[in-house]
Amino acid sequence: MSNRSKFPTKIDLDDIGYNTSDNPSFTNILETRLSRRGFVLGGVGSGALALFGGVSIATLSGCNSDDDSSSTPTTPTAPTEKLLGFTAIAKSLADMVVLPAGYTYSVLCALGDPLSASTPAYKNDGSDTDFDNRFGDHHDGMEYFGLDASGKPSTTSTDRALIAMNHEATTDEKLSSFFLHTNGGTSTLPRPASEVDKEVPIHGIAVVEVSKASGSFKYVQNSSFNRRITPLTPVEIHGPARGNALLKTKYSTDGTTTRGTLNNCGTGRTPWGTLLSGEENWSGYFTRPTGDDAARGNDKSVTSLKRYGRSEGAASRHGWESAGSEDKYARWINAKTGTSVDGTDDYRNELNGMGYIVELDPYDKTKAVRKRTALGRFAHESAAFSRQVVGKPLAVYQGDDARNEYIYKWVSTATWSAADANATDRLAVGDKYLNDGKLYVARFNADGTGNWVELSITNPALTAYTTYPFADQADVSVNSRVAGDAVGATKMDRPEWCAVNPANGEIYFTLTNNSNRKVDATSSSHAVVDSANPRYYTDVKGTTNQTGNPNGHIIRIAETNGETAAITFKWDVFLFGAESTADGTKVNISGLTADQDFSSPDGLAFAPSTGICWIQTDDGAYTDVTNCMMLAALPGLVGDGSKVSLSYTKADGTQLAVNTYAGKKPTADTLKRFLVGSAACEITGMCETPDGKTMFVNIQHPGETTKMADIADPTKYTSHWPGNFGYGAGGANARPRSATIVITKTNGGRIGT
Ligand code: FEO
Ligand code: CA
Ligand code: CA
Ligand code: CA
């Protein structure tokens, strides 16, 4: 979700933070001054140093042209590649996508493009319909699933694939997704059904075939693989919450199904070739009328609803519930209106059907999406798998993106069998690894260590938790935020994507920013600076002071002995986001230069081919100076830097000392700005071909800052991309569209070299 609202203007429906638990703020342990002895390289292989030491690496294949040229074979000349060999690009406010010299891009697909042969081309003037058969809006996380010539899964195909892509949300103001409607749509309740029926299906997931048959990647409009999952598509509940009382609704009286997936943000790719998609800010699409607390008898469901951001009387983001009496609109009213004891005659439990990691088999459109309830329910971002070791459990790392929320780890009961990578019933493999196991939440300690605390119904901290009496493990899964409160998890600066370094198994988490990080806890929604979230500072944007941690940081974790099932770890901060001119001792701790400085890291992925760590931003703090961007980094190791001591003056005049652990400062060769996006966009989602020579990147919500009132005056749109790039209808006056771009290197080399 966009950050434009976080710093400082509009109030988001979510990301606001509903964590009022009194988990330890670490003031009592901040004074500890434990030695870092034994910290460096503890238990973790040092392969990354050999791989990413800045040495030149020759490509295995010397071919540097498209493989459809068929002239006389010549001896391939192996170009010498240096990771991050490109020249870093400057910050930019231009309404265009900027890449380093030697790189070029095309647009693969954009909001509204047709996904079936019979759907007309997108006119982009507000008149288009049939969004069930078009790409959705706000392209977000995506993954590449290779296809061989016969249409079977392939892990090596570089010219044909399925891309599964999240469509997170839509550019909106005052209820309406205004670029979708001719005159901007209706900004008051009730919303017309004709508008709602366009807005709902632009959310969800798209699967699309892409092919390089014509020399460059295009999407295949009439492919039989193309598929849309929308917020109304029937989906299955799996894991401990399947059939539980908490999931019973008028739609699913046995609690085994629900409709759709919503606000899909980050992604993950399973080792068995399916997509994982995180449901993030789903809560705000629902509404509860005033009086619902009393109707529920102020039972524990009210505690849960508030913890997940739905107090009674809160308005919904789009007012979809107002479009009519049909069930597809009524389901957005999360209220006890019926007389049943179990909720099978209303939608009082509807919110419990959202907030999961969902699994989709991109190769088989006949199979329904499965919600993996065992992995917990929160504002999910990406889901990153540990490296797979035969005979060892799999770990899946996950973040909860709201202010002062937690980091989680799932550990499967089943141990990895390599044969599962090639199974044909892929969702059955998902059942094997993602239904049975243990869910943990992270506690970061002031000495640079951490603990994974199990969220089990047998954990005494949960059984003793009177704020919310847990009934069973399903209740723990559905209310994992509450369970995290109960065990004293560490409140983080908005965990976004996570990714696992393929070279050494270390886990990286972007912590995008946090305006509710303080020196003094002035309200229950504020967290106090601690070792893992150590910065409080003021950043100026125009005439506005932005306080807390406006620029975010990237934390990384090394499991003890590299074990996926470890319950202890070590951590440090890979990079602190900052403006290059900010104070080097308190803010720009990583010493970022003008070619490296960034704010609000969000998307994060390690390229399988090169091992480069790609960092994408969704920023509202530094956008007076630059549009959002993507940077390339060479990862090091947890513990390769040094301890940093910070000191703050509290309101009572006393000093608060905070130690943190900063990774080794980047050099000009280890961190470079690679891409800057078009105006008022965010950069999110990235995947590549197995040879690393083609990269797909999503440009989400260009022109998001456009005012709905200006819909009739294109000169006031804050972006016209990609129309102004020559893609689709509208040209220089086009309505902006979220889009997927295809990046290649003009010499045919790998991306990031
Ligand atoms: Fe959808 Fe937290 O970004
Ligand atoms: Ca974000
Ligand atoms: Ca600034
Ligand atoms: Ca995100």
Side-chain angles (χ1 to χ4, degrees):
M1 165 154 300
S2 152
N3 269 327
R4 127 171 99 118
S5 47
K6 322 297 189 306
F7 293 99
T9 47
K10 185 174 136 184
I11 301 294
D12 249 358
L13 291 166
D14 296 283
D15 288 351
I16 293 169
Y18 300 95
N19 191 349
T20 56
S21 69
D22 58 357
N23 286 355
S25 62
F26 292 92
T27 48
N28 53 339
I29 48 176
L30 292 173
E31 303 303 319
T32 53
R33 297 280 195 276
L34 294 189
S35 160
R36 296 267 287 167
R37 196 157 29 98
F39 191 97
V40 176
L41 300 183
V44 177
S46 56
L49 292 178
L51 251 181
F52 306 124
V55 296
S56 296
I57 299 172
T59 50
L60 295 173
S61 161
C63 181
N64 64 357
S65 62
D66 290 337
D67 47 15
D68 53 337
S69 63
S70 57
S71 50
T72 316
T74 54
T75 305
T77 52
T80 300
E81 285 189 334
K82 182 185 178 194
L83 296 183
L84 275 55
F86 63 89
T87 302
I89 61 167
K91 296 183 282 288
S92 167
L93 286 169
D95 188 23
M96 58 191 289
V97 175
V98 185
L99 291 167
Y103 286 86
T104 187
Y105 82 93
S106 60
V107 174
L108 180 79
C109 60
L111 160 68
D113 282 339
L115 278 166
S116 78
S118 59
T119 305
Y122 196 58
K123 295 200 281 292
N124 195 25
D125 58 3
S127 68
D128 300 280
T129 58
D130 192 20
F131 282 91
D132 288 285
N133 289 306
R134 298 181 182 277
F135 283 94
D137 204 354
H138 283 208
H139 305 207
D140 207 314
M142 63 180 160
E143 305 290 341
Y144 181 97
F145 300 92
L147 276 179
D148 67 15
S150 65
K152 294 284 187 296
S154 164
T155 55
T156 56
S157 174
T158 58
D159 56 7
R160 187 184 184 204
L162 302 175
I163 288 182
M165 179 190 312
N166 284 341
H167 291 294
E168 183 184 26
T170 176
T171 300
D172 60 334
E173 185 184 339
K174 298 174 186 164
L175 303 172
S176 179
S177 176
F178 54 92
F179 283 126
L180 291 188
H181 309 304
T182 308
N183 299 310
T186 305
S187 59
T188 52
L189 298 177
R191 300 290 315 285
S194 60
E195 293 180 9
V196 172
D197 291 346
K198 291 166 71 170
E199 293 178 4
V200 172
I202 59 167
H203 296 71
I205 303 172
V207 178
V208 61
E209 181 181 343
V210 298
S211 168
K212 212 176 167 183
S214 57
S216 59
F217 269 106
K218 306 260 189 326
Y219 85 88
V220 183
Q221 182 179 339
N222 62 356
S223 170
S224 60
F225 287 102
N226 292 351
R227 180 182 185 186
R228 279 300 317 279
I229 309 290
T230 78
L232 291 173
T233 305
V235 302
E236 298 174 0
I237 307 291
H238 284 256
R242 179 178 176 85
N244 187 271
L246 293 172
L247 272 297
K248 290 182 178 175
T249 66
K250 187 176 172 185
Y251 176 79
S252 179
T253 55
D254 66 358
T256 60
T257 62
T258 186
R259 276 169 291 191
T261 185
L262 189 54
N263 209 266
N264 302 74
C265 188
T267 47
R269 193 185 189 289
T270 68
W272 50 92
T274 62
L275 175 83
L276 296 186
S277 171
E279 299 177 336
E280 190 193 8
N281 290 309
W282 39 273
S283 165
Y285 293 81
F286 297 85
T287 187
R288 282 205 302 136
T290 301
D292 187 50
D293 287 358
R296 292 169 184 266
N298 283 295
D299 65 7
K300 73 175 194 177
S301 73
V302 175
T303 307
S304 167
L305 286 160
K306 288 180 176 172
R307 187 64 181 82
Y308 284 88
R310 284 298 88 186
S311 292
E312 64 172 22
S316 67
R317 177 170 179 169
H318 294 289
W320 291 341
E321 74 282 354
S322 68
S325 58
E326 282 180 66
D327 198 63
K328 65 178 180 179
Y329 308 123
R331 65 86 62 104
W332 302 109
I333 303 174
N334 185 218
K336 183 177 180 185
T337 57
T339 56
S340 70
V341 174
D342 61 2
T344 53
D345 57 351
D346 59 24
Y347 288 107
R348 78 188 72 159
N349 292 326
E350 187 73 351
L351 211 67
N352 293 335
M354 292 287 181
Y356 300 103
I357 288 291
V358 301
E359 183 177 9
L360 174 149
D361 184 348
Y363 297 108
D364 189 349
K365 65 197 292 184
T366 68
K367 293 230 172 71
V369 163
R370 298 184 181 181
K371 299 212 178 193
R372 298 299 183 190
T373 62
L375 276 65
R377 176 169 163 268
F378 40 88
H380 279 276
E381 287 279 336
S382 69
F385 277 82
S386 61
R387 295 187 299 179
Q388 296 92 55
V389 180
V390 171
K392 299 272 189 180
L394 298 180
V396 184
Y397 299 91
Q398 320 175 77
D400 181 357
D401 180 17
R403 293 168 198 160
N404 304 321
E405 291 298 346
Y406 309 136
I407 283 173
Y408 297 81
K409 172 172 83 163
W410 166 258
V411 178
S412 65
T413 300
T415 58
W416 178 242
S417 165
D420 287 332
N422 300 310
T424 51
D425 189 345
R426 287 167 289 273
L427 291 177
V429 179
D431 290 342
K432 175 180 173 183
Y433 292 104
L434 301 177
N435 285 349
D436 298 310
K438 293 178 177 177
L439 182 65
Y440 297 88
V441 71
R443 250 191 340 230
F444 291 80
N445 303 319
D447 62 356
T449 68
N451 303 87
W452 293 113
V453 184
E454 189 183 348
L455 300 180
S456 162
I457 189 65
T458 61
N459 184 329
L462 295 191
T463 48
Y465 197 59
T466 54
T467 302
Y468 184 92
F470 289 96
D472 48 30
Q473 189 61 34
D475 201 359
V476 175
S477 299
V478 173
N479 289 287
S480 43
R481 275 185 178 170
V482 185
D485 298 345
V487 302
T490 302
K491 298 177 176 181
M492 308 301 288
D493 286 346
R494 293 187 53 203
E496 293 257 14
W497 287 55
C498 53
V500 171
N501 182 352
N504 61 14
E506 293 184 351
I507 307 101
Y508 288 57
F509 272 92
T510 52
L511 300 170
T512 193
N513 56 56
N514 189 357
S515 58
N516 282 351
R517 185 66 60 180
K518 303 282 183 186
V519 172
D520 291 278
T522 51
S523 93
S524 59
S525 65
H526 292 140
V528 172
V529 283
D530 63 35
S531 286
N533 305 274
R535 289 188 303 171
Y536 173 87
Y537 53 100
T538 300
D539 172 72
V540 178
K541 182 182 181 184
T543 56
T544 304
N545 284 343
Q546 311 174 111
T547 62
N549 177 13
N551 303 132
H553 55 292
I554 302 173
I555 201 163
R556 61 185 171 185
I557 289 170
E559 300 278 22
T560 298
N561 296 325
E563 293 284 349
T564 52
I567 56 169
T568 57
F569 58 86
K570 288 173 179 164
W571 62 268
D572 71 3
V573 175
F574 176 48
L575 292 168
F576 287 97
E579 299 180 9
S580 62
T581 54
D583 184 323
T585 60
K586 300 186 177 100
V587 183
N588 188 15
I589 296 169
S590 296
L592 306 181
T593 67
D595 286 340
Q596 301 169 322
D597 60 345
F598 67 91
S599 177
S600 302
D602 185 340
L604 187 75
F606 285 86
S609 66
T610 58
I612 291 172
C613 177
W614 293 98
I615 301 162
Q616 302 173 316
T617 71
D618 170 17
D619 187 43
Y622 206 12
T623 44
D624 51 339
V625 173
T626 184
N627 299 337
C628 288
M629 64 184 71
M630 185 160 100
L631 306 99
L634 299 183
L637 288 168
V638 170
D640 64 10
S642 55
K643 182 160 81 173
V644 173
S645 297
L646 300 170
S647 177
Y648 299 100
T649 303
K650 298 173 68 173
D652 65 5
T654 60
Q655 292 294 298
L656 174 63
V658 178
N659 289 329
T660 191
Y661 305 96
K664 185 179 177 183
K665 288 184 181 177
T667 70
D669 289 326
T670 64
L671 178 62
K672 290 182 178 179
R673 187 178 300 108
F674 176 81
L675 176 155
V676 180
S678 47
C681 77
E682 84 176 69
I683 310 299
T684 183
M686 170 285 219
C687 59
E688 60 171 23
T689 51
D691 60 4
K693 294 181 177 180
T694 302
M695 178 181 281
F696 303 88
V697 171
N698 279 330
I699 311 295
Q700 189 188 91
H701 65 61
E704 183 198 41
T705 50
T706 302
K707 294 291 175 206
M708 182 179 176
D710 293 331
I711 190 69
D713 183 358
T715 66
K716 292 183 176 168
Y717 299 173
T718 58
S719 172
H720 299 283
W721 189 90
N724 64 359
F725 180 67
Y727 186 83
N733 280 329
R735 297 180 180 204
R737 299 161 74 186
S738 296
T740 304
I741 64 171
V742 186
I743 300 173
T744 52
K745 197 171 180 185
T746 46
N747 74 358
R750 296 187 299 169
I751 309 302
T753 61

